[in-house]
Structure formats: C-alpha cells, structure tokens
C-alpha cells in the first residue's frame, strides 16, 4: 500500500493558465532578459497570432529572433543547427511555442547555449550539470505536458529509438497555457494528444511504489506513485475523460478545450515526478519503426498495458473507474478496474484511435525486435507496477495485434 506521507512535485517557477494568457508572454520574457529566441514550427510561425506575440515582446522592450523550422520528432541535427545559428545572438531567454517538439527544442537549445556539446553526454537522468537559460513554454496542443516536465526527447540517428534527457534543470521557468491556442488544433491531433495526456496520468497514478528514501528525489527523476502526483493524476483523468470527446468533435468549444488543456497540464505535473511506464516504453521502438505520432501508438497500447497490469494495479484502476463514473463504491476492485479499462478503450475508439497495432503497420515479424528494444527504456520499464521483460512485452503486443 502506498505511503500517504511521501510526495514530490517539480514544476515551473510560474505556471499561468487560462484563455487569453498568451498576452502575458511579453511581460514574462521582459522579467527574464532583453533578448529572446522563439522556437516554433512553420505552421504557427506563419499565423497572425505569431505577429501579435512578436509585437507584444517588442512593446515590452524584448529583442527577438524567430526560429520557425522545428521538425517533428526533433532530429539532433536540427537542434545543433539552431544552436549554431543563434549562438551569437546570445539570447537571455528561450520561448518554445507549439507542440512538444517546439518546447523540447527550446529546452535543448537553452541547454547547449550554457553547457558544452555533445548533447549525448546528457542522455539519461540527472546528467545536466547545472542551470540552463530560462525557458518560457507556451503549448498549442494538449498532450505532451512538456511545459511543466523535466524531460526533453529527441531523435539521434546513432540510436534506434528516440532518447530522453531527464533533469529538473530542464523544467521551464515559466509555463503559459492558453487554451485559445488549441482551438485550431485538428481533430486527429487533438485525439492523439489527449490520449497521450491520459496515458501520462494513468501511468503516473498506477506507477510502482518505492520506499520513501529521503535521497530518492535527488537521484531519481521518476520516483513512482506518490501522494502529490496522485492528486494531479486523478484530476487530469477526470478532466480528460469528461471533455476529450467534445474537444475532438467540436473543436471550437472553448470550455472543452480549456478542460482538456488543464488535464494535460495536470498530467504533466503528475508524471514529471511519478513517471510513465509500459505504454511509453513499448511505443518508442514502435514509433521508430513506423514513423507514426507518439500519441497514436500510446493510444493504441494503453488499454492493453492496463490489462496486463490489472493483477497488481486493480486498486488503482478501480479508483480511476469510480472517479470517472463507470464504477460505484460498492463494486469489487477488480470489477471497477475492468470497467475503467473498458471505458478508456471506448473513449479512444470514439475519438478515432485504432484498436490494433496492425493499423499503423506493425506485423508479427516486428514483435521480437519491439520486445527487446522496449527494455532499453529502463526508467520506464522499472516504473511499471508489474515486472516487464521481453516475454511479457510479447504478450502485450500479441493482444494488441489480435484486436479487431
């Protein structure tokens, strides 16, 4: 049973949430310096709203440079190119505006502008030697939670899968979460981003429980299930479950968009200390093999990893089932837990996420490699409540391949 007196939260110094709060970017940046490098993608960089943000920064006396070439999955060479291009500009602050890749680019460019290359020396946990330049994170999707987390993920061509750098130094100084920025997010991206956020919350809530060693939070980025992450995670699950359908089907519904973005932010706060587990570990090689979006693979896998974990996580899943209203207090934990799993499966299917890995190009010939490569995500494998090995991962994959 989890100890109820141990908890860890890592969060930005400032977290500003609400419709219209993008208008705080200028004053937030001016409080941190006079030169800002903005990292975004081509789509957002071309929108009129980007010009509004640039005008706001100029009115606050902040000189800016705009990098709008962020690529999906964040290739290493693009990070290095951005650093080389803007090193002489010497920004005081980085502003990441966009999806997770844009925010992660801001984190990693900031890291390399302060600390020496190569970036590979920081792969893993607690390897960033000290503070980076302050980052302002402004998400335009509701999924990754990158605006509040100590993690950045990139694609290194020397490695088979994406790799993460995990350090509290990477937590943005300021997160500005404005759900109005998600109103134009396409239906498909809204769905898979929401599935990713839901997985963050569920995997954090059902993560393994560790002995409350006083040194743990200083040596392990993901400490496992704890009393503080549980609060964020369960709130996130309720918000996303109740609002993702509407945010997906009625993209202009600001109330639904606000609820899902709040859920995504809470989910980021949850997994930023508790961590994620099986679905994320298995998705990494699947994403590399299929070049499909992270949230899509996560959405397919999550119901199957939950079913695998059911024998040891029934109490946690039962609490989720009761919280989202698909089970009652009088139901046995196993029944309530199964109801929760089926509810998540139904939600994802309703918003358009496939039920089988075959839908994204995985076939039986891939299973051996996926099961082996998944084990390389050690921090995620160790965080799963039920022990994982290549054999058990094959079982999860087999179930996810047979689904109709």
């Amino acid at each position: 049973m989890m100890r109820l007196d141990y908890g860890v939260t890592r969060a930005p110094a400032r977290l500003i949430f609400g419709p219209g709060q993008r208008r705080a970017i200028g004053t937030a940046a001016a409080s941190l310096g006079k030169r800002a490098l903005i990292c975004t993608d081509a789509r957002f960089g071309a929108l009129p709203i980007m010009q509004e943000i640039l005008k706001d920064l100029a009115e606050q006396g902040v000189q800016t440079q705009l990098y709008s070439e962020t690529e999906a999955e964040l290739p290493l060479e693009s990070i290095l190119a951005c650093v080389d291009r803007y090193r002489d500009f010497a920004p005081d602050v980085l502003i990441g505006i966009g999806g997770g890749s844009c925010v992660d680019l801001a984190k990693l460019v900031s890291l390399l502008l302060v600390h020496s290359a190569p970036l590979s020396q920081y792969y893993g946990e607690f390897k960033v030697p000290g503070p980076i330049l302050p980052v302002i994170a402004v998400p335009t999707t509701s999924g990754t939670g990158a605006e509040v987390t100590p993690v950045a993920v990139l694609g290194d061509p020397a490695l088979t899968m994406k790799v993460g750098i995990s350090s509290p130094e990477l937590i943005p100084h300021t997160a500005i979460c404005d759900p109005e920025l998600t109103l134009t997010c396409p239906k498909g991206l809204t769905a898979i981003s929401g599935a990713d956020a839901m997985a963050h919350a569920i995997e954090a809530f059902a993560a393994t429980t560790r002995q409350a060693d006083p040194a743990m939070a200083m040596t392990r980025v993901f400490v496992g299930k704890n009393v503080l992450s549980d609060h964020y995670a369960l709130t996130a699950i309720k918000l996303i479950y109740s609002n993702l359908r509407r945010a997906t089907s009625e993209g202009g519904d600001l109330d639904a968009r606000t609820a899902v973005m709040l859920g995504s932010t809470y989910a980021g706060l949850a997994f930023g200390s508790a961590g994620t587990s099986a679905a994320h570990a298995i998705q990494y090689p699947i994403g590399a093999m299929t070049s499909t979006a992270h949230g899509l693979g996560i959405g397919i896998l999550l119901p199957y990893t939950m079913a695998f974990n059911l024998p040891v996580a029934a109490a946690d899943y039962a609490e989720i089932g009761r919280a989202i209203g698909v089970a009652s207090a009088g139901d046995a934990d196993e029944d309530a837990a199964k109801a929760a799993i089926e509810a998540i499966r139904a939600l994802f299917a309703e918003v358009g996420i496939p039920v089988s890995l075959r839908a994204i190009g995985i076939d039986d010939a891939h299973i051996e490699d996926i099961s082996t490569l998944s084990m390389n995500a050690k921090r995620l494998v160790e965080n799963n409540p039920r022990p994982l090995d290549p054999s058990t991962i094959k079982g999860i994959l087999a179930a996810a391949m047979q689904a109709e």
Side-chain angles (χ1 to χ4, degrees):
M1 193 71 178
M2 186 192 72
R3 288 187 56 171
L4 296 179
D5 58 354
Y6 179 73
V8 178
T9 292
R10 303 186 182 93
R14 295 186 297 219
L15 173 52
I16 304 169
F17 184 94
Q21 293 307 312
R22 64 187 179 280
R23 298 181 182 93
I25 294 173
T27 51
S31 74
L32 297 171
K34 293 298 183 183
R35 292 181 305 281
L37 172 59
I38 302 170
C39 298
T40 190
D41 57 24
R43 184 196 70 84
F44 194 85
L47 293 177
I49 201 167
M50 187 72 250
Q51 296 306 311
E52 294 175 16
I53 292 169
L54 291 171
K55 181 181 177 183
D56 176 31
L57 286 158
E59 289 174 349
Q60 297 299 324
V62 179
Q63 182 183 355
T64 59
Q65 290 287 321
L66 177 64
Y67 179 82
S68 58
E69 301 168 30
T70 307
E71 299 177 46
E73 311 305 325
L74 205 54
L76 174 60
E77 58 268 26
S78 70
I79 301 167
L80 302 179
C82 186
V83 172
D84 289 344
R85 187 183 304 182
Y86 296 104
R87 188 181 295 279
D88 290 344
F89 175 60
D92 302 309
V93 58
L94 280 288
I95 304 175
I97 306 178
S101 292
C102 296
V103 174
D104 283 354
L105 177 64
K107 292 180 181 182
L108 296 176
V109 170
S110 176
L111 168 60
L112 287 179
L113 287 173
V114 175
H115 302 289
S116 63
L119 199 57
S120 58
Q121 68 185 304
Y122 309 117
Y123 295 173
E125 294 193 1
F126 278 101
K127 294 182 180 178
V128 177
I132 65 174
L133 295 175
V135 173
I136 297 174
V138 187
T140 62
T141 63
S142 299
T144 70
E147 70 274 8
V148 297
T149 66
V151 180
V153 180
L154 68 142
D156 185 333
L159 302 172
T160 306
M161 303 187 301
K162 290 195 297 183
V163 63
I165 298 176
S166 303
S167 168
E169 304 292 356
L170 294 184
I171 299 173
H173 177 281
T174 300
I176 298 176
C177 303
D178 182 347
E180 289 181 356
L181 296 178
T182 70
L183 288 171
T184 58
C185 187
K187 179 178 180 179
L189 181 56
T190 299
I192 63 176
S193 297
D196 191 22
M198 180 67 89
H200 291 155
I202 290 176
E203 292 198 322
F205 193 73
T208 192
T209 304
R210 296 184 172 90
Q211 184 175 354
D213 183 332
M216 181 163 60
M218 307 308 294
T219 57
R220 180 184 285 274
V221 173
F222 290 168
V223 303
K225 184 178 175 70
N226 64 85
V227 67
L228 294 177
S229 64
D230 271 7
H231 171 75
Y232 293 122
L234 199 59
T235 303
I237 292 164
K238 290 188 286 187
L239 284 166
I240 297 167
Y241 184 79
S242 298
N243 293 278
L244 183 60
R245 292 177 180 85
R246 200 161 79 253
T248 303
S249 64
E250 302 173 31
D253 187 326
L254 183 58
D255 288 342
R257 291 287 196 179
T258 299
V260 173
M261 175 168 264
L262 184 58
S264 174
T265 301
Y266 277 142
L269 290 168
F271 94 84
S273 65
T276 55
S277 55
H280 280 76
I282 300 170
Q283 189 280 331
Y284 279 149
I286 288 174
M289 290 176 181
T290 61
S291 298
T292 51
H294 171 75
L296 178 58
I298 292 293
I300 296 171
L301 285 164
L302 183 64
Y304 301 104
T305 58
M306 291 178 73
F308 169 77
N309 287 327
L310 180 62
V312 299
D316 292 329
Y317 294 160
E319 191 168 351
I320 291 170
R322 294 173 186 123
I324 62 176
V326 299
S328 65
D331 292 337
D333 278 358
E334 184 173 356
D335 292 337
K338 289 179 178 178
I341 296 170
E342 289 309 308
I344 297 302
R345 191 189 307 275
L347 170 64
F348 287 179
E350 190 171 338
V351 299
I353 294 172
V355 298
S356 172
L357 290 173
R358 294 190 189 277
I360 58 171
I362 296 297
D363 59 39
D364 295 340
H366 293 115
I367 288 181
E368 187 72 34
D369 285 345
I370 295 170
S371 63
T372 301
L373 291 169
S374 298
M375 297 299 295
N376 292 339
K378 184 178 178 183
R379 64 188 171 90
L380 307 179
V381 169
E382 290 179 346
N383 215 42
N384 200 62
R386 185 178 177 189
L388 290 170
D389 57 35
S391 177
T392 54
I393 291 172
K394 286 179 185 177
I396 294 170
L397 291 168
M401 299 282 283
Q402 292 172 6
E404 295 285 330

